[in-house]
Amino acid sequence: MPALNRALARPLRTIVWLGVSLGVLLAVGLALTLANDYQRRQEAAQRQSAALATGSQRLLRLELRNLERAMLGIAEDGALLFERVPAQAPDLLDDAIGGVLQRHAELDSIVVVDQYGRALTSGSGDLYLPLWAVDTNRGSDSRLYLGPPQQRNAQRWVLPLALRMGDDRWLLSRLHTSELQSIIGGMDTGDQGVISITDAQGYVLARSPDTVGLTGQRFGLGKREMLRRDAVVPLGVETSAIDNIERISTLTTLGQYPIAVYAGLGRADVLAPWWPYVQASVVLYLLYWGVFALVFVSVRRATRSQDALTEELRTGHAELLMAHQVGKVCTWYVDEDASQLRWSPLAREIFGIAIESLPVAAFFARVHREDAERMQLAFDNAFAGNGVLDEMFRVVLPGGTVRWVSARGQRVAVADRQRHMIGALTDVSERVQALARVQQAERQFRLLFDRNPAPFWVFDPDTLRFMEVNEAAVKQYGYSRDEFLSMSILDIRPREGWDEIRGAISRATIGDAQDAQVRVHRRKDGTLFEVRAHLSRLDFDGRQACLVLAEDISERLAYERDLAYHATHNPATGLLNTRALAAQLDEEGGGYTIAYVQFRGLQLVADTLGREVGDVVLQAMAKRLGGLGTRYGLLAFQPAEDFIFAIRDDHERQTALDTLVQTVSEPVRGQDWLHQFEPRIGVAVKFEGDNVPAEQLIGMAAQAAHAARDEGSVIAWFDTTVSSRLAERLRLAGRIHSAIDTEFELYYQPICHASDGTPAALEALLRWPQADGSFIPPGEFIQLCEDTGLILALGRWVIRAAAQAQRRLADAGWPLPIAVNVSAVQFFNSDLVAEFARATQEFGLERGALQVELTESSLMRKPAQAKQTMQRLHEQGVCISLDDFGTGYSNMSYLQHLPLDILKIDRSFVSDVETNPRNASICRALLSLGHSMGLTVIAEGVETPGQHQWLAAHGCDQVQGYLLGRPSPLVEVIARLETAEAT
């Protein structure tokens, strides 16, 4: 026993040492992991605070820089005005400042003050200006001085900004601190995080979140020495001087302005996700020790049990254990007089009798009554020496439990010529029960096979004859069960499928995995349908067989084929869609030509005359082009109005294109209608060996079609200029929206009285200046604005800018009307009357201060609507000019009823009017016509003194052209007017 105890202790000590060592390593690993995670979270928070501070710093720099630029512009203009017209300078500056304040809603006011802070223009000054307009409140490379925040009312603070205009004048503006608040507002700083903006003296200019109204308060904030230079200073963990909260923070400063941005994330917020990891680590560590304790107890218990079992085997229980291992087999024998039955110890457990022997009669009393007679007869015959006992019977145990036993034995001779009967007993209850389960499973399989709604059958792989079928197969195929069993599986397959089914059966026989395949089967009535056949091997009545499940998928395949068709074809025309055409061309390879045909008006036919007529027109065009597709290549349809024609043969390219142009140019005729379309065709060519995808080539042809429409031609070939031109249009379209309020400018050209050359009006001309000093011609962006709809927004801007300019003219003593050109899109698709009324009311203009210039072609689109709109403009006091007269419709029946005021003769007729008799005749006729209608006549394009003299001599009212003045900014126009008046 001492040796046993020592052997038991050794593995336990090993487990203890190993468990403790692993526990120490686990503790160290968890501690290192938590420490690393703690450090990583703090570093991530530091980076995030730096990102928040840097982002806010950039927005703040941009805001102040824009304000400084705006103030510099006003300061320069103001200095110039004070130098030239000191008496009028305050009033003129008030107008300019008013425009700036309208564009910069973030400014509370802009005032020109003297060196003591007293206001020289409208608004209030700042007598503290000399105290804070010092170099410490101005950054490097900046002329802007920042003062302490000022409270306008209980809820509104402003930041004073000053800019020197000269030795004795300053430009003072006040910025709403709410604008600074909007810069840092909405940023994700967590529950305890904060972003604030402070100045050099520690005043809080903005803070987010600001729950206690800290704006304008002053605190002793650190790192003030970093101001007036660009810096990003990580502050680490610090306690806020404002709310005493620990934060991981960063301070950023601007070199250009003495302002600092502070961003801090609450240390509690940063570490909040870390604490669950700490708790989880503690739980994991405690769980490890719990599991270790369970393992230790289990190992100790198992070791002791194993030792006890070993000791038991040593004392004589090996026979019992071996008997259990070989399947509960025990031995028995009966003495010569057949009175006593003896058995081995295992039999006592089997039969539940705790004795080594019992009378034979008592044993047979325990045999089940249904098996007792058969068992008694077999035992008697064997004991008599007439054979071997080999029976299986049931035994009823004392508790009433029934066990199945297999008994085998025979009579043998022993010493002294005695004969005993010996044998073996085996408990076969589990085998019988397993057999019963197999039989039950077979019955269930039969039930599943017969009543399954899916067709099943079993056939012989050698003869291919059916061995069994279920009721679903009988119903699906129309044969009776007896007919099936007299047939082979070839009888339900078309003859062309026989070889395939034999090959599938051969592969299944040798064990190859069979995927479910789609096959065609035939019913008794001869109809064919598609099935997905699932084939597998099995043993059937002791023979190798194949089981088949035949799933009818005819409807599903038909649906999938329909889906596949719709995925590659347009249902309205039956033609390929663009994607399918591209895929087929890429698969075929080689060279081909794409003709992209655009029909504008197909959709309009359906919208106007009804869907039925639209479908008829579309089908007629598809049928007409379908013949070309069959003859020369492929045809596809791109909803809702485009066809794509792929020409395969390069030799037939020109013939096919000529035929295509002729075909699409013919009108489509119906019973009582005729439709003529204006097709545009773009052509792109892929040569043999080019590595250009078909989809890209189709896009090139589409670009060429757009170019054809822009050029007004029927057909256009793709080249690099087409692509670059369209790309430039798209680039311009992307810029126009943002350029309306920031880049566009109005230039003004004078319109003078022909008799004495004095100014009569100004015409506003739109200009788009570029950074290099050049201008984008109006012809390049006006049409683009009309195509994209941006002409409406641009037109509103022009009207308002012209109204503002007229206000400035009137204030400067030159109340000249300004004429504004209006496009047809804006005229018919916007409330033009309301826009002019709004601009007139906003700037307080007199009646007649604004004029509208329209072209003949725009008015003749919708004469009735045009007349109504022009009448409403007249009621508002807006004069209307008819521009480029003589070059459009010149329909006098309409023009005589339109409420016109001015007629403008096109420059093409004014050219050489003094030397060209033809132009002179046209001008005389137009002058006579205009005066007969009571209209003022203006001649455009006057560039020489001879033209001016001829027009004045023949009664022209007003003239316009480079001779009298080129288009210029309003400031230059006013300067020229003042110069002309002075001379």
Side-chain angles (χ1 to χ4, degrees):
M1 291 301 293
L4 178 61
N5 290 335
R6 286 195 300 271
L8 180 64
R10 281 195 298 270
L12 289 178
R13 283 198 299 270
T14 302
I15 291 175
V16 169
W17 279 108
L18 181 60
V20 172
S21 300
L22 290 177
V24 173
L25 291 176
L26 178 61
V28 173
L30 291 175
L32 291 176
T33 301
L34 291 174
N36 180 63
D37 186 66
Y38 177 90
Q39 183 66 24
R40 182 178 57 80
R41 290 181 183 277
Q42 293 221 113
E43 292 174 355
Q46 186 68 68
R47 291 193 298 271
Q48 185 178 356
S49 68
L52 291 173
T54 304
S56 302
Q57 175 203 41
R58 292 173 180 170
L59 295 175
L60 181 62
R61 185 199 305 272
L62 181 61
E63 178 70 21
L64 293 177
R65 185 174 58 190
N66 289 339
L67 290 177
E68 183 177 2
R69 290 177 178 175
M71 293 177 65
L72 282 173
I74 297 175
E76 292 173 0
D77 292 342
L80 185 61
L81 290 174
F82 272 105
E83 179 182 350
R84 294 183 177 179
V85 286
Q88 300 177 2
D91 294 335
L92 294 176
L93 280 177
D94 280 340
D95 293 340
I97 290 172
V100 174
L101 290 176
Q102 288 181 352
R103 292 193 298 274
H104 294 276
E106 68 273 15
L107 291 177
D108 179 76
S109 63
I110 299 177
V111 183
V112 178
V113 300
D114 62 13
Q115 58 184 341
Y116 303 104
R118 294 172 298 193
L120 300 179
T121 60
S122 299
S124 60
D126 186 353
L127 298 180
Y128 293 97
L129 174 66
L131 299 178
W132 57 263
V134 294
D135 289 339
T136 56
N137 288 335
R138 177 174 61 87
S140 60
D141 299 328
S142 173
R143 295 171 53 188
L144 194 65
Y145 294 80
L146 276 65
Q150 301 172 357
Q151 189 170 14
R152 306 295 284 178
N153 53 43
Q155 300 294 331
R156 190 158 58 97
W157 287 80
V158 295
L159 176 65
L161 307 173
L163 191 70
R164 186 181 296 275
M165 292 178 57
D167 294 337
D168 56 352
R169 281 186 295 274
W170 292 78
L171 182 64
L172 174 66
S173 64
R174 295 179 176 91
L175 172 67
H176 291 293
T177 59
S178 59
E179 181 67 15
L180 304 181
Q181 188 73 25
S182 67
I183 291 176
I184 61 176
M187 294 190 178
D188 185 13
T189 59
D191 295 334
Q192 296 186 355
V194 69
I195 301 178
S196 64
I197 301 175
T198 58
D199 64 5
Q201 286 73 39
Y203 285 102
V204 177
L205 304 181
R207 191 173 189 266
S208 177
D210 184 10
T211 58
V212 294
L214 296 176
T215 302
Q217 297 188 28
R218 185 176 182 181
F219 297 89
L221 303 177
K223 301 293 184 180
R224 298 291 100 184
E225 69 276 8
M226 301 302 299
L227 293 174
R228 303 181 66 192
R229 57 177 171 173
D230 291 322
V232 179
V233 184
L235 302 178
V237 179
E238 65 167 11
T239 301
S240 173
I242 297 178
D243 52 14
N244 294 322
I245 295 177
E246 280 191 344
R247 294 188 179 92
I248 301 172
S249 55
T250 299
L251 180 72
T252 60
T253 57
L254 299 173
Q256 196 171 357
Y257 306 102
I259 287 183
V261 178
Y262 170 92
L265 301 178
R267 189 167 179 264
D269 293 341
V270 173
L271 296 181
W274 180 75
W275 286 110
Y277 286 105
V278 175
Q279 297 168 0
S281 299
V282 173
V283 172
L284 177 63
Y285 191 69
L286 294 177
L287 181 62
Y288 166 80
W289 285 112
V291 172
F292 173 74
L294 290 176
V295 171
F296 176 80
V297 172
S298 299
V299 170
R300 185 174 61 179
R301 184 181 302 164
T303 304
R304 291 177 177 177
S305 299
Q306 183 179 2
D307 183 73
L309 179 61
T310 303
E311 193 69 19
E312 184 180 357
L313 288 175
R314 290 177 180 177
T315 59
H317 294 283
E319 181 182 353
L320 179 60
L321 295 177
M322 291 297 294
H324 276 285
Q325 293 177 357
V326 297
K328 297 182 180 180
V329 178
C330 63
T331 59
W332 59 272
Y333 73 95
V334 178
D335 56 13
E336 186 175 10
D337 57 3
S339 60
Q340 197 75 14
L341 175 66
R342 300 180 184 276
W343 48 37
S344 61
L346 181 58
R348 294 196 294 269
E349 294 184 10
I350 295 176
F351 297 107
I353 302 173
I355 55 177
E356 296 182 358
S357 65
L358 78 165
V360 173
F363 172 77
F364 277 103
R366 294 182 177 275
V367 177
H368 196 280
R369 65 178 182 273
E370 295 179 1
D371 301 330
E373 183 178 355
R374 174 176 56 81
M375 186 61 188
Q376 184 67 57
L377 179 61
F379 177 80
D380 292 343
N381 288 335
F383 194 80
N386 296 329
V388 177
L389 176 64
D390 189 3
E391 292 292 335
M392 188 168 65
F393 59 94
R394 286 167 287 182
V395 175
V396 181
L397 301 183
T401 303
V402 177
R403 307 284 296 180
W404 281 90
V405 180
S406 175
R408 184 175 180 84
Q410 67 182 35
R411 186 172 180 175
V412 297
V414 294
D416 299 331
R417 295 186 179 180
Q418 293 182 356
R419 293 184 180 273
H420 290 181
M421 189 173 181
I422 64 175
L425 289 175
T426 305
D427 186 356
V428 295
S429 300
E430 294 180 359
R431 187 191 311 168
V432 173
Q433 292 171 0
L435 180 61
R437 288 195 295 269
V438 171
Q439 292 174 348
Q440 177 65 20
E442 184 176 354
R443 287 193 298 270
Q444 292 176 350
F445 171 77
R446 171 58 63 180
L447 183 64
L448 178 64
F449 182 82
D450 289 338
R451 298 188 181 182
N452 197 300
F456 275 97
W457 61 75
V458 180
F459 69 92
D460 189 329
D462 296 326
T463 64
L464 303 184
R465 299 188 67 83
F466 288 100
M467 301 173 65
E468 190 57 83
V469 295
N470 68 350
E471 186 62 27
V474 171
K475 292 180 180 179
Q476 179 165 290
Y477 287 84
Y479 296 101
S480 66
R481 181 175 181 276
D482 293 336
E483 288 175 328
F484 259 119
L485 297 180
S486 66
M487 297 162 49
S488 75
I489 61 174
L490 299 180
D491 295 328
I492 62 171
R493 292 290 306 275
R495 182 172 295 276
E496 55 270 17
W498 287 5
D499 293 337
E500 185 272 334
I501 193 61
R502 287 192 177 100
I505 294 171
S506 299
R507 292 190 296 272
T509 303
I510 62 177
D512 286 353
Q514 295 289 310
D515 293 332
Q517 298 185 9
V518 177
R519 297 183 173 91
V520 178
H521 283 193
R522 181 172 57 199
R523 297 186 179 93
K524 184 177 181 179
D525 60 6
T527 58
L528 301 177
F529 65 103
E530 294 170 300
V531 301
R532 187 179 298 278
H534 304 265
L535 177 67
S536 62
R537 297 174 57 192
L538 80 162
D539 291 331
F540 189 79
D541 287 341
R543 298 166 55 188
Q544 287 292 320
C546 291
L547 174 67
V548 175
L549 165 63
E551 177 188 3
D552 185 358
I553 57 172
S554 300
E555 293 184 1
R556 189 175 73 190
L557 289 181
Y559 177 71
E560 290 177 355
R561 283 192 287 268
D562 185 61
L563 285 180
Y565 176 82
H566 282 82
T568 57
H569 290 73
N570 176 261
T573 61
L575 299 175
L576 291 172
N577 58 30
T578 305
R579 182 176 297 176
L581 174 64
Q584 185 169 343
L585 290 174
D586 286 337
E587 182 179 356
E588 293 176 358
Y592 52 86
T593 301
I594 295 293
Y596 196 99
V597 185
Q598 289 185 344
F599 287 100
R600 290 298 177 261
L602 279 177
Q603 188 65 35
L604 181 61
V605 171
D607 296 339
T608 305
L609 302 180
R611 180 61 55 189
E612 182 177 352
V613 175
D615 291 341
V616 170
V617 173
L618 178 61
Q619 293 290 343
M621 189 60 69
K623 182 178 180 181
R624 182 184 298 177
L625 294 176
L628 294 180
T630 304
R631 180 178 176 184
Y632 295 105
L634 297 171
L635 185 68
F637 179 66
Q638 174 68 39
E641 300 178 320
D642 300 339
F643 289 86
I644 303 167
F645 182 25
I647 306 170
R648 287 196 180 98
D649 192 347
D650 291 344
H651 299 290
E652 296 286 343
R653 179 193 305 151
Q654 192 57 49
T655 302
L657 290 177
D658 293 341
T659 308
L660 175 63
V661 172
Q662 181 180 358
T663 300
V664 298
S665 300
E666 295 179 2
V668 179
R669 300 179 183 274
Q671 293 182 352
D672 53 356
W673 44 263
L674 175 68
H675 293 290
Q676 177 71 53
F677 299 101
E678 296 182 6
R680 296 293 183 266
I681 303 173
V683 182
V685 180
K686 176 182 180 292
F687 296 99
E688 188 76 28
D690 288 350
N691 190 22
V692 179
E695 189 170 354
Q696 181 179 347
L697 197 71
I698 292 173
M700 296 176 180
Q703 294 180 25
H706 286 292
R709 183 164 298 278
D710 293 339
E711 297 168 359
S713 59
V714 176
I715 190 169
W717 293 72
F718 176 83
D719 56 24
T720 55
T721 59
V722 171
S723 180
S724 60
R725 187 164 63 250
L726 291 176
E728 178 63 19
R729 280 175 57 86
L730 292 176
R731 187 184 66 81
L732 284 179
R735 289 182 53 195
I736 287 174
H737 183 75
S738 60
I740 290 177
D741 293 324
T742 58
E743 298 183 27
F744 283 106
E745 295 180 3
L746 285 184
Y747 278 40
Y748 302 89
Q749 185 175 28
I751 301 173
C752 301
H753 293 288
S755 58
D756 56 7
T758 58
L762 298 178
E763 180 179 359
L765 300 174
L766 189 61
R767 295 292 184 265
W768 191 356
Q770 301 301 297
D772 59 0
S774 62
F775 292 85
I776 297 178
E780 293 187 12
F781 64 83
I782 292 296
Q783 183 61 46
L784 182 58
C785 289
E786 293 184 348
D787 293 341
T788 58
L790 291 174
I791 192 66
L792 301 180
L794 182 59
R796 284 192 295 270
W797 180 87
V798 169
I799 293 173
R800 189 178 182 280
Q804 185 178 16
Q806 210 283 331
R807 177 74 271 164
R808 293 179 61 185
L809 273 173
D811 293 343
W814 298 94
L816 299 176
I818 295 180
V820 178
N821 290 279
V822 176
S823 74
V825 176
Q826 183 183 8
F827 186 77
F828 290 110
N829 294 279
S830 67
D831 192 353
L832 193 65
V833 179
E835 292 174 4
F836 272 93
R838 190 160 44 246
T840 301
Q841 182 178 5
E842 179 181 356
F843 294 100
L845 305 184
E846 302 291 336
R847 291 176 60 86
L850 295 179
Q851 299 179 357
V852 174
E853 288 197 5
L854 302 169
T855 61
E856 286 185 76
S857 58
S858 64
L859 293 179
M860 292 302 102
R861 291 184 182 182
K862 299 176 182 178
Q865 181 180 348
K867 181 179 179 182
Q868 183 180 4
T869 302
M870 293 168 67
Q871 188 64 44
R872 293 175 58 200
L873 288 172
H874 258 282
E875 295 173 359
Q876 295 288 337
V878 178
C879 296
I880 301 173
S881 299
L882 186 61
D883 199 5
D884 300 338
F885 184 72
T887 61
Y889 294 87
S890 299
N891 192 326
M892 299 308 302
S893 62
Y894 282 114
L895 293 178
Q896 65 180 341
H897 298 293
L898 294 178
L900 296 172
D901 299 287
I902 300 171
L903 197 68
K904 300 190 76 171
I905 302 175
D906 187 69
R907 64 181 63 249
S908 61
F909 303 131
V910 176
S911 176
D912 300 331
V913 67
E914 75 279 18
T915 58
N916 188 331
R918 182 176 178 275
N919 284 356
S921 298
I922 294 175
C923 286
R924 280 193 296 268
L926 294 178
L927 287 168
S928 176
L929 175 63
H931 290 153
S932 66
M933 296 174 64
L935 304 178
T936 300
V937 181
I938 301 175
E940 296 181 302
V942 178
E943 299 180 355
T944 64
Q947 296 170 0
H948 187 187
Q949 294 171 5
W950 189 95
L951 290 168
H954 288 79
C956 184
D957 300 303
Q958 299 173 10
V959 290
Q960 177 182 0
Y962 285 172
L963 177 66
L964 304 155
R966 292 178 176 269
S968 304
L970 183 63
V971 175
E972 296 182 11
V973 172
I974 294 176
R976 285 203 300 266
L977 291 174
E978 293 175 348
T979 302
E981 183 182 29
T983 57

